[in-house]
Amino acid sequence: MDAGCPRLPDTVLFEIFLYLDHADVLSVGLVCQQWRAVARDEFLWKELFYRYYRVSRDVPRHPGAVSWYDEFQRLYDTIPCVEVQALKEHNDQVLHLSFSHSGCLFASCSKDCTVKIWSNELDISLQHSSNMRPYNWSYTQFSQFNSDDSLLLVSGVFVGPHNSSSGEIAVISMENFTLLSRVRNKPYDVFGCWLNETNLISGNLHRIGRITSCSVLWLNNAFQGIESENVNVVKRLFKIQNLNASTIRTVMVADCSRYDSPDLLLDYEEQLAASSTCPVFDLGSDSEEEEAKPKPPPEPAVQELLDAGGVPAEHGLQQLFDDIMEGRVGPAMTETELETKVAELFVRNRTKPPEPNLLPTDSNSKTKYLIFTTGCLTYSPHQIGIKRILPHQMTTAGPVLGEERRSDEFFDSLDHVIDIHGHIIGMGLSPDHRYLYVNSRAWPRDCVISDPMQPPPIAEEIDLHVFDLKTMKEVKRALRAHRAYTPNEECFFIFLDVSRDFVASGAEDRHGYIWDRHYNICLAKLQHDNVVNSVAFSPVEQELLLTASDDTTIKVWRSPRAVRVRQARRPRPRKLLFSWLMNQKS
């Protein structure tokens, strides 16, 4: 037993430990042999863990944990909550951050209309800055590295004729930072994303009526300068009708081939089973009873009409026109309601049905899903649409307008729709692409939307939902802690990011937040002087996190353990002084 370390009853030690600071607990553990004995007592550490972190006792220990002591230490020592650097090279609001897959570089976008490339070394430094104002951009808003980190997609707001604004995507080479191509992107908050190493997805919007439109998603070759009659630089992927002033926004791609080897299973029963066997599911289903049916259901709006009467679309549209001409439609139907009714009837007879058997049956499948925000009731995004991308659609080869369509396949249907019942303000995929995390601000529980141009009020609390993309079910309860204050018409995107064990998000309350994915608990608040717009974990080192804010700074956060390691690597002043003295003597 160490000198000066009194022997105390375990119960007394336990009560003391409950009120000790993390650092005190660990420092005691370094010097006290009695503590080392207690550290091996799983019962004491289990009790301490549940009480200190206020975790529900029905939540099992992390599947990768060796002991409760190690798990307690992990949640203290590996959270990137220590600010180690503040980058102030931007001179306006910083909107987005993205790491390269290697973790060696990251990019930042800002209202100052630049995209900056940073080198992630011992101390982060600016490597390159591209100003997009010469291309009539108003600001840069989003960036993403392709899979081999050779190209950078940069999305921004483009100012066109008569000060109209839409979006534009630029592709920058990481070899010499030259601009390779530019692609129009409408609306600008589609953002855009990579499908593979050389092809990216953009959007376009065509107005059909006052509140009805058609979103077209395009596949673009990053190298637009190809001169060959056999190679297209663009190809149409999907054409989807929008009702009630909604549009497709925020596109991203999920790789289904990684589902069967997730980094972390969030379903506790599935963790315990550890068999990773999951039945083939139907993307169109929303319940266990529906999963047993082989027939995929149509989209929600279409299903509602079918349930109402089951009349064929062309007959229903003709019947509506007859009712209008003969005065059988009551005066209560407004112009907006009439437009929506006609659009719903039209889409029933002009939409291609969903693809059958959507889940890939082997782990080597190259199937991918296009994920985006959408809606059916109002202009604010309140649904998540999911559409399978077939192998032949992953290249720009073939007809520019895609495969030939029949007259009754004018629009593409969605394969699955997730209703959020609130304004979606952020989405992010887990590294294994198994789970989708969604930031949203909830609508009142029993609200009724009568005017699509007047969505319901939204809550100040931000809910962070988690969806399993293999089962299309929400898992766990929504995470809460962060807040937002802007109303519907001013609401903006709050980017989140997910690492192997943690999920982080910005917020309008001047903080970034970190949660543990397994225990569903908030672990840290990271302070800024203004709104935190974006967060980004290093993909190779989850103990490194970046946050970007309206205060024009990018803050670099590392875990206490990483800080100690970095300090140990730096030369100590004593050695430098000794070298100086030796030089003076010589």
Side-chain angles (χ1 to χ4, degrees), residues 104 198 278 303:
C104 296
T198 59
C278 187
Q303 183 64 56

Side-chain angles (χ1 to χ4, degrees), residues 78-274:
T78 67
I79 309 302
C81 58
V82 180
E83 181 184 340
V84 296
Q85 198 172 355
L87 309 174
K88 301 181 179 180
E89 279 77 356
H90 283 290
N91 54 37
D92 207 334
Q93 301 169 3
V94 188
L95 302 181
H96 185 256
L97 298 163
S98 65
F99 267 100
S100 63
H101 295 82
S102 67
C104 296
L105 301 172
F106 69 87
S108 58
C109 295
S110 168
K111 281 287 185 73
D112 65 14
C113 207
T114 66
V115 55
K116 298 186 186 297
I117 314 298
W118 307 79
S119 177
N120 179 26
E121 298 176 349
L122 193 60
D123 283 318
I124 291 170
S125 59
L126 181 63
Q127 187 169 344
H128 177 78
S129 180
S130 292
N131 182 11
M132 300 304 291
R133 288 201 191 279
Y135 305 102
N136 289 333
W137 283 29
S138 177
Y139 57 89
T140 60
Q141 60 176 352
F142 174 84
S143 66
Q144 185 182 49
F145 288 85
N146 70 341
S147 57
D148 65 2
D149 294 335
S150 62
L151 303 173
L152 179 68
L153 176 155
V154 182
S155 174
V157 176
F158 174 85
V159 181
H162 310 294
N163 291 324
S164 63
S165 63
S166 61
E168 193 167 82
I169 297 171
V171 178
I172 297 176
S173 168
M174 287 294 96
E175 182 179 359
N176 50 16
F177 303 112
T178 56
L179 182 63
L180 299 178
S181 59
R182 292 160 56 200
V183 175
R184 195 57 55 88
N185 190 39
K186 185 178 180 181
Y188 62 83
D189 50 4
V190 169
F191 294 119
C193 66
W194 290 104
L195 177 61
N196 48 43
E197 288 183 5
T198 59
N199 293 297
L200 58 100
I201 296 173
S202 66
N204 200 358
L205 184 67
H206 303 279
R207 294 291 177 187
I208 299 175
R210 191 175 71 89
I211 58 170
T212 309
S213 63
C214 173
S215 287
V216 181
L217 297 170
W218 292 89
L219 186 64
N220 308 267
N221 195 303
F223 303 95
Q224 297 279 309
I226 295 176
E227 296 181 1
S228 171
E229 60 183 21
N230 298 320
V231 179
N232 298 324
V233 294
V234 297
K235 185 172 75 173
R236 187 173 65 192
L237 274 179
F238 305 117
K239 186 164 55 174
I240 298 169
Q241 188 186 38
N242 304 310
L243 302 175
N244 290 319
S246 64
T247 61
I248 287 178
R249 315 177 189 188
T250 320
V251 296
M252 60 179 57
V253 172
D255 184 353
C256 307
S257 65
R258 301 160 69 177
Y259 287 177
D260 291 330
S261 55
D263 298 326
L264 176 68
L265 286 171
L266 297 184
D267 186 293
Y268 301 138
E269 293 182 1
E270 196 173 356
Q271 284 179 12
L272 295 174

Side-chain angles (χ1 to χ4, degrees), residues 266 426-428 435-439 464-466 496 498 503 517:
L266 297 184
M427 294 197 303
Y435 298 98
L436 177 67
Y437 286 75
V438 181
N439 267 336
L464 183 51
H465 301 275
V466 191
L496 58 93
V498 190
V503 55
R517 293 178 59 198

